[in-house]
Amino acid sequence: MLCRSSVKAIEAAISSRQWTKAVQIVELQDTEVATKYYYKIGQHYASVQQYELAEKFFVEAGRTTEAIEMYNNAGLWEQAHRLAAKAMRPDEVAVMYIKHAQTLEEQARYKEAERLYVTVDEPDLAITMYKKLKQFDHMIRLVKHYHPDLLDDTHIHLAKELESEKQYRQAEHHYLEGKDWKSAINMYRSKDLWDEAYRVAKGHGGANASKQVAYLWAKSLGGDSAVKLLNKFGILEPAIDYATENCAFEFAFDLARISAKDRLPDIHQKYAMFLEDEGKFKEAEEQFIKGNKAKEAVLMYVHSQDWESAQRVAEQFDPESVADILTGQARAAFELKEFAKAESFLLRAERPEVAVKFYREAEMWSDALRVCKEYLPHKLQVLQDDYDQSVLSKSTRGAETLVSQGREWESSGEYLRAVDCYLKVTSDITQDVKVIEKCMVKAAEIALKFLPADKSLEVARAAGQRLSLSQRYDSAAQVYLGADLIKEAIDACMEGEEWNKAKKIAKELDPRFESYVDDRYKNKLRTEGKAEQLADVDVVGALDLYVERGQWLKAIETAEQQSPKILHKYVALYATQLIKDNQPEQAMELYVKYGTPANAQNYNIYKRIVDDILNSPDLNNAGAYKTWADLRDMLLDLCDNLKKSADAKSKQSEEFENMLLIAHYCANRSACLGQESLKPLSAKLSAALLRHTDIVPADKAFYEAGLHAKAIGMENMAFVFLNRYLDLVEAIEDGTLDMLDNSDFQDTDIPFEIPLPAKPHLTESQHEEIKEWVLAVSMDQKVEQVLPQDERSTYEASLVAASTGITSQPCVVTGSLTEPGR
């Protein structure tokens, strides 16, 4: 009942055209009932052009085809295609739309037909449609969009069609759009529309194209009209050139005859050359002659070996070319090996140089020399040289050939030629040194006997040099001596290591060169490092060589055999080097061994040795005794020598005496340090050394004095000395003595004005150790910061009494104050 009543309700709503209510009721029904009424509702909405609702209900009713047809009838192709693409196969869609498009095409609805073709990816059908309709703009638009690679070809295809239909302007447009301006020009040319052709060429082809069109235009006109046209465009001369280059000779002649007669000879010549290339020699001859180029006609016949015609033209029009003809005949005769005939032709032509050239190229040297000698004597030497070179380069027996030829020249009295032949025998020709030697000696002998003096000297030098290059030094020297070239002879001997012979030649023939030989010999030995041999002739040079090579012991050994002056020169040099190498003790040992002369130039060396040893670490012990003893011996020897010299009472002598005393104290101290019972003496010696802090590094002296005082329990003295050490280190760091407190050393003989050492003597750790000890002792009330005094009320180690100023002598052993009566 419910279903039947619903149906009645739906039909009632449809009958009363209440479509919205009908839809609401239908949507509540099952599919079978709803499908029937959806179709009717869809038809209604289609009739009132509510196509989207209509599509919905057609689809719900399963009548998609009616929905597609609805859209097609309404011209809504995109909506129709969208729906068809979902409901139909692609080929069915395409067929349907193509059919619709064709119908639209028949109805002249071309834009709509185009849209359908494009919609189903068939733009070519739309292009074909527009082509049939001759709507070329639309056709080109579609080609440009869908086939851009075919655009130029399409333009040209249309242009050809339009040309065939005599629509030239439109054809031109498409030719130009297709980038084929040449076809546009050819179209107008073929239709005799030259103005149009020239316009296109000028506008699109450039200057050359427009000139070419103008040329062709003029050629089509001919005569005066052609000349006027070319003059109008200002290209008459280029047009003549273009015509000759393109073998349009008649046109070129017409243009030239009318307005450029001066160009006629040139055109005739080019026409003749064209005819010659074509093998039309007779016609070419005529043109050459008309062009005033008779010589070219002669050469043409010479080239083709038509001697009769060549002779005829030459005799009639160019007598000067007769020689060229004879030369050409000679060349042909040479190729046929008719040498006598060829030579005859060339002599008639007065060209013997060509005959020489031909004979030479054929390696017929005897004939070449014969003709040259007879007709070109001024060139004979050059040819002879070329012949010699040819013989040498091609003959495996070049040296023998030159020697043989040299003998021939010699026997015939041609001495200069003979010498030249002998001199050509070099290592480039033969490796046989004996042959080279014989030839060089022979060349020099002939030159000295028969050639002028200047030439003979030149030959002797050349021969001598080549003998030396071949290591035939003795022969080279003999050649030089024969020419009185003394120095060159000496050089040859020296080059060959014949030093005695070189010396003998110099001594007997020119003593001025004796020193020259000696110097060269010395330089050679020096360069080769042969010091032992050099010593035999130049001791100083040998010693310098030893020094240069760092062979100091050998140098000293050799110098020892010479005078003391030489010995001490090289001892000083060696000592200087050892000092530079931070080996002052080895430098000192040299002077201990060889003595210490009082030479002023050595004083700085002695001072540097003393200074370096005084600054050396690790010498404050018993093991350093030998070093200090050697230093004392060296200085003692120096002081003894100074007493015998001009510097006996000089400031230098006093300074070295003080250094001797310091070395003596240091040696004694090292000796005492080796015995426990003598350590108090070590302390006294260290205290004595404080008087000499102008020489001994001050911080080192106070450190060692304090250390030795501390070692024997003299803590007051040790405290004062080590505290002074700390003050000195601060002064070294500050670079000045201005802040140094000297109150502890007032009324003593310890100097205040002393040089500051460049750097502290102790290491950082050693310095800190002393610093800690001084700090600790300073807190001990038992220790006083005073120096011990004697009965003079003076510091006990001071030699100068504070109250009287009397200076006492120090003990020679300890350096301390001597006891009264000793």
Side-chain angles (χ1 to χ4, degrees):
M1 284 298 286
L2 181 61
C3 182
R4 188 177 300 171
S5 62
S6 295
V7 170
K8 287 183 178 181
I10 295 169
E11 290 180 349
I14 291 173
S15 299
S16 62
R17 305 187 71 79
Q18 295 180 10
W19 299 101
T20 304
K21 185 176 181 180
V23 169
Q24 292 174 348
I25 298 171
V26 170
E27 287 177 343
L28 299 174
Q29 308 306 311
D30 58 27
T31 304
E32 184 178 351
V33 174
T35 299
K36 173 182 175 184
Y37 292 104
Y38 275 142
Y39 178 66
K40 287 184 178 181
I41 294 170
Q43 286 179 318
H44 162 71
Y45 281 116
S47 66
V48 297
Q49 297 183 359
Q50 294 187 30
Y51 298 120
E52 291 185 5
L53 287 172
E55 175 191 339
K56 174 184 176 183
F57 294 118
F58 279 138
V59 171
E60 290 289 341
R63 307 291 285 272
T64 303
T65 303
E66 279 78 356
I68 295 169
E69 191 64 32
M70 171 191 71
Y71 278 132
N72 285 334
N73 292 334
L76 300 174
W77 311 111
E78 287 80 0
Q79 293 88 332
H81 183 264
R82 170 179 54 76
L83 199 56
K86 295 178 181 178
M88 302 172 68
R89 297 197 310 273
D91 57 325
E92 292 176 338
V93 174
V95 169
M96 179 182 72
Y97 271 81
I98 290 171
K99 185 175 180 181
H100 274 300
Q102 290 171 343
T103 301
L104 291 170
E105 188 177 340
E106 291 171 356
Q107 297 171 359
R109 295 164 65 185
Y110 304 121
K111 291 296 292 181
E112 295 174 80
E114 175 191 334
R115 287 174 58 193
L116 287 182
Y117 283 135
V118 170
T119 300
V120 293
D121 296 327
E122 290 291 347
D124 290 351
L125 295 176
I127 291 170
T128 302
M129 174 185 73
Y130 283 129
K131 182 179 179 183
K132 288 190 296 185
L133 295 170
K134 297 189 180 299
Q135 294 184 16
F136 299 129
D137 288 345
H138 291 305
M139 176 184 173
I140 291 298
R141 172 175 55 79
L142 292 175
V143 170
K144 184 177 182 179
H145 188 270
Y146 293 101
H147 300 292
D149 55 317
L150 299 176
L151 183 60
D152 289 345
D153 292 340
T154 303
H155 275 299
I156 293 171
H157 178 75
L158 287 178
K160 289 179 179 178
E161 285 194 6
L162 291 167
E163 180 182 350
S164 66
E165 295 171 4
K166 299 184 180 180
Q167 298 184 45
Y168 303 127
R169 280 288 184 175
Q170 293 183 45
E172 175 193 334
H173 168 74
H174 286 290
Y175 275 132
L176 296 178
E177 288 294 318
K179 301 178 182 63
D180 190 6
W181 53 268
K182 290 183 180 180
S183 293
I185 292 172
N186 289 332
M187 174 185 72
Y188 284 129
R189 278 183 54 209
S190 65
K191 303 302 182 292
D192 222 17
L193 297 172
W194 290 100
D195 286 332
E196 300 295 336
Y198 184 78
R199 175 180 58 77
V200 173
K202 186 175 182 180
H204 300 277
N208 288 334
S210 62
K211 288 179 182 179
Q212 190 174 1
V213 170
Y215 166 79
L216 295 172
W217 187 0
K219 190 175 180 183
S220 70
L221 295 174
D224 291 339
S225 298
V227 172
K228 289 178 181 178
L229 180 68
L230 294 172
N231 279 327
K232 173 185 175 182
F233 294 124
I235 57 171
L236 178 60
E237 289 289 334
I240 294 174
D241 293 334
Y242 187 81
T244 54
E245 289 168 5
N246 289 273
C247 303
F249 295 107
E250 290 304 323
F251 184 50
F253 281 130
D254 286 345
L255 295 176
R257 288 190 191 101
I258 294 171
S259 63
K261 290 184 173 57
D262 58 313
R263 295 295 308 276
L264 285 172
D266 180 55
I267 300 171
H268 280 298
Q269 182 183 0
K270 290 181 178 178
Y271 189 23
M273 293 168 67
F274 168 76
L275 292 170
E276 180 182 356
D277 291 339
E278 294 292 311
K280 299 177 180 180
F281 300 125
K282 189 64 179 175
E283 293 90 331
E285 175 194 332
E286 181 182 351
Q287 294 301 322
F288 274 130
I289 291 171
K290 286 182 179 180
N292 300 320
K293 297 291 182 179
K295 187 177 184 66
E296 299 297 326
V298 172
L299 293 176
M300 172 186 71
Y301 283 127
V302 168
H303 182 70
S304 61
Q305 297 190 12
D306 185 352
W307 310 114
E308 183 178 346
S309 298
Q311 190 78 17
R312 171 179 54 77
V313 175
E315 290 176 351
Q316 186 175 356
F317 297 102
D318 189 23
E320 293 181 359
S321 295
V322 172
D324 293 331
I325 298 169
L326 292 171
T327 302
Q329 288 178 286
R331 182 177 290 105
F334 259 104
E335 291 174 358
L336 296 174
K337 299 189 183 304
E338 298 175 352
F339 303 117
K341 186 176 180 181
E343 181 181 329
S344 174
F345 282 135
L346 290 171
L347 294 178
R348 284 171 55 195
E350 297 182 355
R351 292 183 178 176
E353 70 280 1
V354 179
V356 171
K357 177 176 177 292
F358 284 163
Y359 279 132
R360 177 177 170 176
E361 290 174 353
E363 296 191 2
M364 300 172 66
W365 288 98
S366 59
D367 290 307
L369 290 167
R370 172 181 54 79
V371 174
C372 187
K373 185 176 182 180
E374 186 172 351
Y375 297 98
L376 303 165
H378 60 287
K379 294 184 178 181
L380 182 59
Q381 181 59 53
V382 175
L383 185 63
Q384 180 67 51
D385 292 342
D386 290 344
Y387 170 55
D388 292 343
Q389 188 61 40
S390 175
V391 169
L392 296 177
S393 61
K394 296 183 179 180
S395 174
T396 57
R397 302 176 62 189
E400 294 181 15
T401 303
L402 284 173
V403 171
S404 176
Q405 188 174 359
R407 287 172 181 164
E408 290 180 9
W409 289 123
E410 185 182 354
S411 62
S412 62
E414 294 281 351
Y415 299 114
L416 181 57
R417 292 184 182 278
V419 167
D420 288 341
C421 279
Y422 288 130
L423 289 178
K424 288 173 183 175
V425 180
T426 65
S427 57
D428 295 332
I429 305 301
T430 178
Q431 297 302 312
D432 191 335
V433 179
K434 291 182 178 179
V435 172
I436 296 174
E437 182 179 13
K438 289 180 180 178
C439 289
M440 295 305 107
V441 172
K442 189 68 173 175
E445 288 177 355
I446 296 173
L448 292 170
K449 286 182 181 179
F450 301 106
L451 299 185
D454 56 341
K455 184 64 177 177
S456 65
L457 285 176
E458 180 185 337
V459 172
R461 285 193 174 94
Q465 289 171 1
R466 293 179 188 177
L467 285 167
S468 294
L469 288 174
S470 301
Q471 298 184 355
R472 287 297 192 263
Y473 303 110
D474 187 61
S475 295
Q478 294 301 322
V479 166
Y480 286 134
L481 289 174
D484 289 331
L485 297 170
I486 307 302
K487 184 178 180 298
E488 286 81 352
I490 291 171
D491 287 338
C493 290
M494 291 191 293
E495 192 175 353
E497 304 286 333
E498 295 284 349
W499 296 99
N500 291 332
K501 189 170 184 178
K503 184 78 171 178
K504 182 180 179 182
I505 293 173
K507 184 176 181 180
E508 294 179 356
L509 299 179
D510 196 337
R512 292 178 303 168
F513 290 114
E514 286 190 81
S515 60
Y516 169 67
V517 176
D518 290 339
D519 290 343
R520 283 282 301 273
Y521 184 51
K522 293 174 186 177
N523 288 336
K524 172 187 175 296
L525 293 175
R526 190 177 296 109
T527 302
E528 295 176 357
K530 296 179 179 179
E532 291 80 3
Q533 296 179 34
L534 182 59
D536 295 335
V537 293
D538 183 7
V539 173
V540 173
L543 291 171
D544 289 341
L545 183 58
Y546 283 133
V547 169
E548 185 180 327
R549 295 162 64 181
Q551 295 178 296
W552 288 102
L553 297 179
K554 190 70 176 175
I556 299 299
E557 180 186 336
T558 305
E560 194 174 0
Q561 300 169 16
Q562 309 304 315
S563 66
K565 183 178 180 181
I566 292 177
L567 171 62
H568 283 289
K569 171 187 174 183
Y570 287 93
V571 167
L573 288 173
Y574 189 19
T576 302
Q577 185 61 45
L578 288 169
I579 291 169
K580 288 181 181 177
D581 296 339
N582 295 318
Q583 300 181 61
E585 293 183 32
Q586 287 85 337
M588 174 185 68
E589 289 172 3
L590 279 176
Y591 286 111
V592 171
K593 181 177 181 179
Y594 296 108
T596 315
N599 295 335
Q601 62 266 32
N602 288 4
Y603 291 164
N604 285 335
I605 297 175
Y606 305 149
K607 290 178 184 178
R608 180 63 182 273
I609 291 173
V610 172
D611 186 60
D612 285 358
I613 291 177
L614 288 175
N615 277 283
S616 296
D618 304 325
L619 292 180
N620 184 23
N621 52 66
Y625 174 76
K626 184 178 184 309
T627 300
W628 294 116
D630 285 347
L631 182 62
R632 179 175 60 189
D633 290 346
M634 183 193 89
L635 291 169
L636 179 60
D637 184 52
L638 173 60
C639 290
D640 288 344
N641 290 330
L642 278 168
K643 291 173 184 177
K644 304 170 188 176
S645 70
D647 293 331
K649 295 181 180 181
S650 66
K651 185 178 178 181
Q652 294 280 8
S653 178
E654 181 182 348
E655 186 176 358
F656 283 122
E657 288 285 352
N658 286 332
M659 289 180 179
L660 172 60
L661 187 58
I662 291 168
H664 173 63
Y665 287 160
C666 289
N668 286 354
R669 184 176 66 181
S670 288
C672 293
L673 286 172
Q675 299 293 326
E676 187 68 28
S677 61
L678 298 179
K679 284 188 177 180
L681 297 183
S682 300
K684 288 185 177 183
L685 286 160
S686 293
L689 285 168
L690 295 178
R691 301 185 203 112
H692 302 284
T693 50
D694 57 336
I695 296 175
V696 180
D699 63 327
K700 177 186 177 187
F702 278 98
Y703 162 71
E704 291 175 347
L707 209 62
H708 292 147
K710 176 173 171 285
I712 62 172
M714 299 178 69
E715 292 195 343
N716 285 349
M717 185 181 290
F719 178 71
V720 172
F721 289 161
L722 291 176
N723 194 54
R724 181 70 164 183
Y725 157 76
L726 293 176
D727 291 343
L728 284 166
V729 170
E730 288 184 8
I732 292 170
E733 291 173 351
D734 295 340
T736 178
L737 292 169
D738 294 345
M739 303 301 294
L740 199 64
D741 182 7
N742 297 314
S743 58
D744 290 339
F745 302 98
Q746 292 293 337
D747 299 326
T748 70
D749 56 358
I750 296 174
F752 298 155
E753 297 298 327
I754 58 174
L756 268 177
K759 61 181 181 178
H761 178 70
L762 296 187
T763 63
E764 187 68 28
S765 61
Q766 291 173 321
H767 175 74
E768 288 300 320
E769 186 179 341
I770 298 302
K771 191 174 181 181
E772 290 174 6
W773 185 85
V774 170
L775 182 61
V777 170
S778 67
M779 307 297 292
D780 188 350
Q781 296 180 358
K782 295 179 182 180
V783 176
E784 297 181 9
Q785 190 172 342
V786 294
L787 293 173
Q789 296 187 350
D790 55 15
E791 62 275 9
R792 301 174 300 164
S793 299
T794 301
Y795 164 49
E796 64 181 16
S798 177
L799 298 179
V800 180
S803 58
T804 64
I806 297 173
T807 301
S808 302
Q809 290 298 316
C811 173
V812 73
V813 176
T814 65
S816 61
L817 183 69
T818 56
E819 296 178 11
R822 295 186 61 182

